[in-house]
Amino acid sequence: MFEQMAAHQVLDEMKVDHEKGLSSQEAQRRLAEYGPNEFEEKKPKTKLQMFLSQLHDPMIYILFIAVAISLFLKEIGDAVIIVAVILLNAVIGMVQESKAEKSLEALKKMSSPTALVRRDGKVFEIQTADIVVGDIVVLEAGRVVPADMRLISSVNLKIEESALTGESVPVEKDADFVAKENIPLGDRLNMAYLSTSVAYGRGEGVVVATGMKTEIGKIASMISQTGDEMTPLQKRLGSLGKVLGILAIALCVLLFVLALIQDRDVMEMLLVAISLAVAAIPEGLPAVVTIVLALGVTRMVKVNTIVRKLPAVETLGSVSVVCSDKTGTLTQNKMTVTKVYMDEELKDVEEIDYQKNKLFVNGFMLCTDASIEDNNRLGDPTELALLDMGAKLGVEKKDIINTYQRINEKPFDSSRKMMTTVHKNSDKGVIAFTKGALDRVIVNCTRVLINGEIREITQEDIGNINNASEQMSKEALRVLALAYKSDDDSASESDLTFVGLVGMIDPPRPEAIEAVKVFDKASVTTVMITGDHKDTALAVAKELGIASREEQCITGEKLDQMSQEELNQIVPDLRVFARVSPENKVMIVNAYKANGHIVSMTGDGVNDAPSLKIADIGVAMGITGTDVAKGAADMVLTDDNFATIQKAIEEGRNIYNNIKKSVLFLLSSNLGEIVTMFVAIAAGLASPLKAIHILWVNLITDSLPGLALGVDSGDPDIMNKPPRDAKESLFAEGGMATILFFGAVIGVITLGAFLYTPINILLEAGNPVNFEAVKTLYRDGDIYTRSQTYAFTVLAISQLFNAIGMRNLNRSIFRYNHFNNRVMLLAFVVGFGLQIAVTEITFITKIFGTVALSVEEWLILTALSTAPLWFHEIFVFIRYMSKRQNH
């Protein structure tokens, strides 16, 4: 709005005098009315709130019911163990939950601590929090803009806005500019915005917005309004929890119906109900998934990625669109000279011979106000690029200024679009260099320097120079011209000799080009989003391999005229978005999400924060990234390397595969327990397992191999496959069949172990084997305890063998490299050892109600427990044969 008004109109609107500023009393009144120039803070979650949020889970609710029933039946041991399980899961979840959002706090820190304002006709330095709408603010080089303002005067004023708009070079401001219509932030030459910094020159402005009403404030509110979305895995595990909770309740109800039909003892059935509820719920699953994700985070650090939000590790595996900011992410955020024109020849900067072209190189370096000392880079990025050009040739400005001392100058201004510096050289006398826009420099040139010879400039020369400039412009290079004049110390800018041109750009990162190719193979679309101009964005996108034609590029101006639904329809054909606002970025991310994509958004500026927050995966840059971007992101790249995202996605895909293996293993084990318990009870037998046995298996025997599966080695061809569908179930590609099949196998052999002792006794005695006879023998406490010990042992050991097979359902275990997952070998040995302890150490056997077993019994039970592996081999063989027949 204010960019479309003249400066005097804005002053009238704000009811302020330019020369005097606001009165102190009026400033205090406005401060009281509108509040301080600060951001509204978001209250962070307390530790207690984090802890309690871990308990909002259907699986946990069922366990609480089991605790209540255990206490009612005075089974204190079971109740204590179940409570311990609940607390352990809650503590792990709380510790791993991402830290309280830092976005708004970081935005607050970005505000300049003090600012120069004119009040009562005098200039004061005050806290930025005390600035009010209508204040006249004085801007000078090095100052951070303390609020949004309409400029009322500007002298060579350039403001660095890359963090807000994505513009890679400082924007030249003009207080006299008046916009004819609503234009993007980056084109509002008469406005200065909070948190941007003055790179050059000076100016004054009247404050038009403070705090949450500034452009940065709008971003802050967009961040706080964006809810924390659940990742696909969180959603699936949440749904799984509900299903398992319903299953547990259904089984318990069914059990009571059976109890009534079979005229069983109700209290006994309550105990069995607890066991069944515990069997239906994989207590180790939340902990295993959380720990596998946490270990994944550690692996991510090795590929220069810090994960702030744990589930992001898994979500990476299904990313199908990577939206990336251009400046500093796909490019180096460093203007670089790539082409030069001299001696009637356009060539790459690497082809310069310093000894032959000293005047060209020295002239461009001397005619700058920038400096580089001890890695401290000061000045305009375009001028720094000229010093870098010299540095590549082994020349530093500090060395040549000793020879060419500056004695006069005419600073750059926006009307002339040139600057001139005059230097005195003891050997060659006085020499003046003029640098600036080609159209302004060339009209002041009467001669041209070609191969060391000076001659009159002709129309043909001017045509050749303009052609070279146009050629560089087509490649989106920023073109600067250089001319000189001898023996004149007046800094006059007429009667000049033309020397040459340089073309510069913020170049793509070489590793980003390779990463885009890898993404292409992995069916991941790379999209560029930038605040830069369309031509620059498209040129860089073509070089990176992101876009190939102009129709794939669209500007923020066009996006502003579209509805979200219209963009949703055309977004599949777009690859480059130029001159976009923060609102546009959110719109773009939403459009890809509406087309069924899992979207990763990378960026480093304040302007990226809302889209980082709303994307499925927000990725911030660690070195150049603002605190705001890091606070809003799920992941931070410590090396600012776009290619690191590719490694992170590869790691994410492997981690998801491993989590899936862990989930299938744990659920097949749980199903084995349910089959064992339910079939036995339905048949009228005593309970084969106690609640404590099932908890032990679920938490110890299952969790260790579950973790081992979670850290299994990755698939080397993973990045040659498309990302999985975000809606794909954990049970897709035969997952459900795997659970049902191996669950049934474990259930059958556990029941077999439970029935082994009574059947063996009946056979040895020559008595008929039937259910009534078996039930009668179970009334003998010793026989029942031994039978439960057998069932408990086979259940535990068979799951250790099952985990080995689960590593790869398509390959024989005899073709595995078992030593590339030593955690699995350790889990097997530890699990086996702990199971021996449960039956052989006296004080432990009393807790678990087990009996000691002989070596012969251990051999029989172990042989029975290997059944899952033999079925795994049959499974692999059938699959292999069917593949051969298909070929």
Side-chain angles (χ1 to χ4, degrees):
M1 171 176 107
F2 293 104
E3 68 274 7
Q4 296 177 43
M5 297 166 66
H8 69 87
Q9 290 175 308
V10 178
L11 289 167
D12 291 343
E13 176 88 12
M14 295 296 150
K15 296 177 183 171
V16 61
D17 180 271
H18 178 201
E19 299 302 322
K20 293 182 179 177
L22 294 172
S23 67
S24 299
Q25 292 86 349
E26 177 60 17
Q28 285 301 318
R29 189 193 69 75
R30 293 188 185 191
L31 186 63
E33 184 180 346
Y34 300 113
N37 181 30
E38 292 175 338
F39 296 120
E40 293 166 8
E41 292 189 46
K42 186 178 175 183
K43 246 187 166 182
K45 260 184 176 180
T46 64
K47 288 278 191 293
L48 180 62
Q49 286 171 325
M50 282 186 208
F51 179 80
L52 292 174
S53 69
Q54 308 302 320
L55 304 178
H56 294 309
D57 187 295
M59 290 197 277
I60 301 297
Y61 300 156
I62 301 297
L63 289 180
F64 273 125
I65 294 167
V67 170
I69 296 170
S70 297
L71 290 172
F72 176 71
L73 296 172
K74 297 183 180 171
E75 293 287 338
I76 307 300
D78 285 3
V80 168
I81 289 171
I82 298 170
V83 168
V85 170
I86 293 169
L87 293 178
L88 179 68
N89 276 333
V91 169
I92 289 172
M94 181 187 76
V95 169
Q96 294 296 347
E97 188 172 310
S98 56
K99 293 171 188 175
E101 293 297 341
K102 295 177 183 175
S103 305
L104 301 175
E105 185 190 335
L107 280 161
K108 188 180 174 187
K109 283 181 188 170
M110 284 187 69
S111 306
S112 173
T114 60
L116 296 174
V117 298
R118 184 178 292 116
R119 288 181 183 173
D120 300 317
K122 296 176 184 174
V123 175
F124 297 93
E125 186 161 18
I126 65 167
Q127 295 292 315
T128 54
D130 297 332
I131 284 177
V132 295
V133 170
D135 261 327
I136 304 296
V137 176
V138 178
L139 297 174
E140 52 191 29
R143 287 258 174 199
V144 174
V145 179
D148 285 5
M149 59 184 74
R150 168 63 163 91
L151 296 171
I152 47 182
S153 70
S154 58
V155 180
N156 302 330
L157 182 64
K158 289 185 182 180
I159 295 183
E160 168 62 64
E161 295 182 341
S162 66
L164 179 64
T165 65
E167 179 74 66
S168 52
V169 293
V171 179
E172 204 174 299
K173 295 294 181 177
D174 179 5
D176 297 328
F177 172 80
V178 178
K180 299 282 188 290
E181 57 190 351
N182 192 22
I183 53 176
L185 285 180
D187 295 332
R188 295 176 190 173
L189 305 181
N190 54 7
M191 299 292 292
Y193 294 104
L194 171 65
S195 88
T196 59
S197 56
V198 180
Y200 191 83
R202 63 185 189 275
E204 290 185 4
V206 57
V207 174
V208 295
T210 60
M212 296 301 284
K213 291 182 179 171
T214 60
E215 292 298 328
I216 293 282
K218 289 175 192 171
I219 293 173
S221 66
M222 284 167 72
I223 294 171
S224 60
Q225 285 163 17
T226 309
D228 290 324
E229 285 196 40
M230 291 176 80
T231 71
L233 182 64
Q234 281 178 314
K235 288 172 188 170
R236 287 189 203 111
L237 290 178
S239 303
L240 180 63
K242 286 173 190 165
V243 170
L244 292 173
I246 293 164
L247 177 65
I249 293 165
L251 285 170
C252 292
V253 170
L254 200 52
L255 211 59
F256 273 102
V257 173
L258 280 171
L260 291 171
I261 293 168
Q262 296 175 355
D263 198 24
R264 287 203 180 205
D265 180 76
V266 174
M267 291 301 176
E268 181 196 337
M269 280 299 105
L270 274 174
L271 277 174
V272 174
I274 293 171
S275 301
L276 254 181
V278 170
I281 295 168
E283 290 80 12
L285 182 61
V288 165
V289 170
T290 302
I291 293 167
V292 168
L293 287 172
L295 291 171
V297 169
T298 309
R299 278 158 67 170
M300 290 286 194
V301 172
K302 292 175 183 172
V303 290
N304 301 311
T305 308
I306 294 168
V307 177
R308 292 186 65 250
K309 296 173 185 174
L310 207 55
V313 179
E314 166 269 332
T315 311
L316 274 169
S318 55
V319 165
S320 54
V321 172
V322 174
C323 293
S324 178
D325 181 44
K326 178 185 78 71
T327 308
T329 307
L330 288 164
T331 62
Q332 297 170 24
N333 198 16
K334 181 182 174 186
M335 292 299 282
T336 305
V337 176
T338 57
K339 297 273 186 185
V340 294
Y341 176 80
M342 63 179 108
D343 302 332
E344 299 185 308
E345 190 180 351
L346 180 64
K347 53 190 174 184
D348 292 334
V349 69
E350 290 79 14
E351 296 176 54
I352 296 177
D353 182 332
Y354 177 65
Q355 293 307 318
K356 286 183 184 175
N357 306 113
K358 260 188 187 179
L359 188 73
F360 176 90
V361 177
N362 288 353
F364 268 119
M365 291 179 73
L366 288 166
C367 194
T368 65
D369 290 325
S371 66
I372 303 173
E373 286 183 32
D374 302 322
N375 289 326
N376 191 17
R377 301 169 65 84
L378 297 172
D380 186 284
T382 55
E383 294 196 338
L384 287 167
L386 298 172
L387 301 191
D388 289 333
M389 174 180 74
K392 280 182 187 172
L393 299 166
V395 189
E396 289 191 29
K397 185 179 179 181
K398 63 182 181 183
D399 296 331
I400 54 175
I401 55 174
N402 292 331
T403 311
Y404 292 90
Q405 291 179 352
R406 189 183 291 193
I407 56 171
N408 196 4
E409 64 184 290
K410 191 177 279 188
F412 177 91
D413 71 50
S414 53
S415 57
R416 286 173 29 254
K417 293 192 176 175
M418 294 186 292
M419 73 175 283
T420 298
T421 57
V422 183
H423 305 267
K424 189 173 184 181
N425 180 281
S426 53
D427 300 332
K428 299 176 182 176
V430 172
I431 188 166
F433 292 106
T434 299
K435 172 190 102 243
L438 174 61
D439 58 334
R440 299 303 175 90
V441 172
I442 198 76
V443 294
N444 292 297
C445 292
T446 54
R447 290 176 296 280
V448 61
L449 176 70
I450 298 172
N451 295 317
E453 299 288 324
I454 299 171
R455 61 171 172 77
E456 294 294 313
I457 197 164
T458 64
Q459 285 303 312
E460 187 183 349
D461 291 328
I462 294 170
N464 290 338
I465 293 164
N466 283 330
N467 285 341
S469 174
E470 279 174 32
Q471 209 169 322
M472 286 194 270
S473 295
K474 279 179 188 171
E475 294 177 34
L477 301 184
R478 186 174 188 187
V479 180
L480 286 178
L482 178 74
Y484 83 101
K485 191 177 189 179
S486 298
D487 303 321
D488 183 349
D489 61 4
S490 66
S492 160
E493 291 174 338
S494 58
D495 196 28
L496 303 174
T497 301
F498 179 83
V499 180
L501 306 172
V502 292
M504 60 181 74
I505 196 169
D506 180 12
R509 292 171 176 267
E511 63 275 13
I513 298 170
E514 191 56 40
V516 170
K517 286 180 187 169
V518 174
F519 279 144
D520 204 35
K521 278 187 197 170
S523 303
V524 175
T525 304
T526 308
V527 173
M528 181 198 286
I529 301 177
T530 178
D532 256 344
H533 290 279
K534 185 178 177 180
D535 292 344
T536 307
L538 192 57
V540 173
K542 283 179 177 176
E543 198 172 339
L544 284 160
I546 290 171
S548 56
R549 57 188 198 281
E550 196 174 339
E551 298 77 48
Q552 292 174 303
C553 182
I554 192 170
T555 62
E557 200 175 346
K558 286 187 180 174
L559 290 178
D560 288 335
Q561 295 161 12
M562 284 184 189
S563 67
Q564 182 69 61
E565 288 69 31
E566 287 171 325
L567 179 59
N568 293 354
Q569 287 176 354
I570 65 163
V571 81
D573 299 322
L574 299 173
R575 293 291 177 272
V576 181
F577 298 85
R579 302 304 278 171
V580 294
S581 66
E583 290 86 354
N584 292 150
K585 292 187 179 193
V586 172
M587 198 176 167
I588 294 160
V589 171
N590 281 331
Y592 280 109
K593 287 173 81 170
N595 278 272
H597 290 286
I598 294 289
V599 183
S600 163
M601 170 73 193
T602 69
D604 57 359
V606 176
N607 60 327
D608 297 318
S611 46
L612 287 174
K613 189 91 191 304
I614 206 166
D616 295 292
I617 291 284
V619 184
M621 299 291 139
I623 301 169
T624 57
T626 59
D627 286 343
V628 186
K630 292 176 198 172
D634 301 286
M635 275 170 35
V636 179
L637 305 184
T638 57
D639 60 353
D640 281 17
N641 190 335
F642 180 78
T644 301
I645 301 164
Q646 172 235 312
K647 292 174 193 163
I649 287 178
E650 183 174 351
E651 197 66 60
R653 287 186 178 190
N654 280 319
I655 288 167
Y656 181 83
N657 282 355
N658 289 345
I659 287 174
K660 184 173 177 178
K661 284 190 274 190
S662 295
V663 170
L664 295 183
F665 162 70
L666 291 169
L667 292 182
S668 63
S669 300
N670 275 72
L671 183 63
E673 294 159 10
I674 292 169
V675 168
T676 304
M677 293 293 293
F678 198 77
V679 172
I681 301 304
L685 298 173
S687 176
L689 299 161
K690 294 182 175 182
I692 195 170
H693 295 165
I694 295 168
L695 273 172
W696 172 265
V697 170
N698 286 0
L699 284 168
I700 307 299
T701 320
D702 279 3
S703 295
L704 294 174
L707 282 173
L709 286 169
V711 295
D712 213 4
S713 52
D715 178 357
D717 296 322
I718 200 103
M719 289 304 278
N720 292 329
K721 299 171 185 173
R724 68 177 189 283
D725 188 335
K727 293 171 187 169
E728 181 189 289
S729 163
L730 276 164
F731 311 122
E733 296 179 5
M736 183 55 78
T738 301
I739 291 169
L740 294 173
F741 181 78
F742 286 102
V745 169
I746 291 166
V748 168
I749 61 173
T750 305
L751 275 171
F754 181 60
L755 294 167
Y756 180 85
T757 300
I759 290 174
N760 203 32
I761 290 169
L762 291 169
L763 289 172
E764 283 180 1
N767 294 330
V769 177
N770 56 52
F771 273 113
E772 287 307 316
V774 170
K775 280 198 276 188
T776 303
L777 283 174
Y778 280 144
R779 291 192 189 113
D780 182 317
D782 290 341
I783 292 173
Y784 182 45
T785 304
R786 186 164 295 277
S787 295
Q788 279 196 323
T789 304
Y790 276 24
F792 180 25
T793 302
V794 167
L795 179 69
I797 304 301
S798 66
Q799 295 187 9
L800 294 174
F801 283 111
N802 187 32
I804 293 171
M806 281 284 177
R807 281 189 65 194
N808 193 329
L809 293 169
N810 298 312
R811 178 177 286 192
S812 166
I813 60 161
F814 301 107
R815 294 181 63 212
Y816 286 5
N817 176 2
H818 291 280
F819 289 98
N820 70 3
N821 190 344
R822 296 187 180 181
V823 180
M824 180 62 81
L825 298 177
L826 180 66
F828 186 90
V829 171
V830 171
F832 213 117
L834 288 170
Q835 196 56 36
I836 291 170
V838 167
T839 61
E840 306 304 321
I841 297 173
T842 309
F843 82 90
I844 300 178
T845 60
K846 284 178 182 174
I847 297 169
F848 284 89
T850 54
V851 294
L853 302 174
S854 66
V855 173
E856 185 186 347
E857 286 173 308
W858 269 108
L859 290 172
I860 292 167
L861 296 176
T862 303
L864 184 59
S865 300
T866 60
L869 279 187
W870 299 116
F871 279 107
H872 171 273
E873 292 304 299
I874 293 166
F875 221 51
V876 170
F877 181 71
I878 292 167
R879 211 172 255 187
Y880 171 72
M881 292 307 291
S882 69
K883 272 187 185 174
R884 283 193 65 178
Q885 283 173 2
N886 290 337
H887 285 305

